[in-house]
Amino acid sequence: MPWRYIVKGQPVQSVKKEIARNLRQEMTQEEDILWQELRDNKLGVKFRRQQVISGFIADFYCHKLGLIVEADGAHHTSENDCERDAILISNKLHILRFPNEQIRNDIEYVLAEIRKYI
């Protein structure tokens, strides 16, 4: 089957599903730090990791809140992220971005910002 619905109403191509699976298996150190704090409803809401949304792969996604949390590393560029963010925001999603350095050095601040949104 070439498509699978992961986010309600969002068709996902098999290739994107496979990329997301690989990204879950090969998380960066910062993604792993953040995931340990977001998993298992630790903040009172469920997050998924490496979620395909509108053809993009979000690092962490809370469907209930329409919230995307991104760990911004070297692969993120402002030019690419602006276009991507505009599309995601047009789908009524909210995006919180945190630099990898901040996740490594001040996870409590990152979690406080996420809790503010929750």
Side-chain angles (χ1 to χ4, degrees):
M1 170 166 30
W3 299 92
R4 179 171 177 216
Y5 290 87
I6 294 180
V7 175
K8 187 176 181 179
Q10 298 278 325
V12 177
Q13 292 181 340
S14 299
V15 67
K16 287 287 185 173
K17 181 181 157 196
E18 186 63 29
I19 292 169
R21 181 180 296 129
N22 289 338
L23 289 171
R24 283 191 296 276
Q25 293 171 354
E26 300 172 12
M27 287 193 302
T28 66
Q29 176 188 2
E30 294 78 14
E31 288 170 340
D32 187 48
I33 290 168
L34 193 49
W35 178 238
Q36 296 311 313
E37 300 297 331
L38 297 177
R39 67 185 300 169
D40 300 326
N41 297 320
K42 288 182 181 176
L43 298 182
V45 292
K46 179 179 178 158
F47 279 90
R48 297 175 183 163
R49 57 192 171 129
Q50 305 304 336
Q51 179 67 60
V52 181
I53 305 170
S54 296
F56 300 103
I57 300 175
D59 291 337
F60 304 100
Y61 173 67
C62 175
H63 182 74
K64 181 178 180 179
L65 301 174
L67 175 62
I68 294 170
V69 178
E70 290 288 323
D72 283 348
H75 63 281
H76 287 271
T77 65
S78 59
E79 182 180 303
N80 291 339
D81 286 344
C82 285
E83 179 183 338
R84 175 183 189 266
D85 288 358
I87 292 168
L88 294 171
I89 290 167
S90 75
N91 286 316
K92 299 182 178 16
L93 299 174
H94 185 79
I95 303 165
L96 297 177
R97 294 186 167 283
F98 300 98
N100 280 348
E101 184 177 308
Q102 194 169 44
I103 293 169
R104 271 193 317 273
N105 298 327
D106 197 0
I107 190 65
E108 290 307 318
Y109 171 80
V110 171
L111 295 174
E113 291 299 304
I114 295 170
R115 283 187 191 102
K116 281 183 197 175
Y117 185 83
I118 294 171

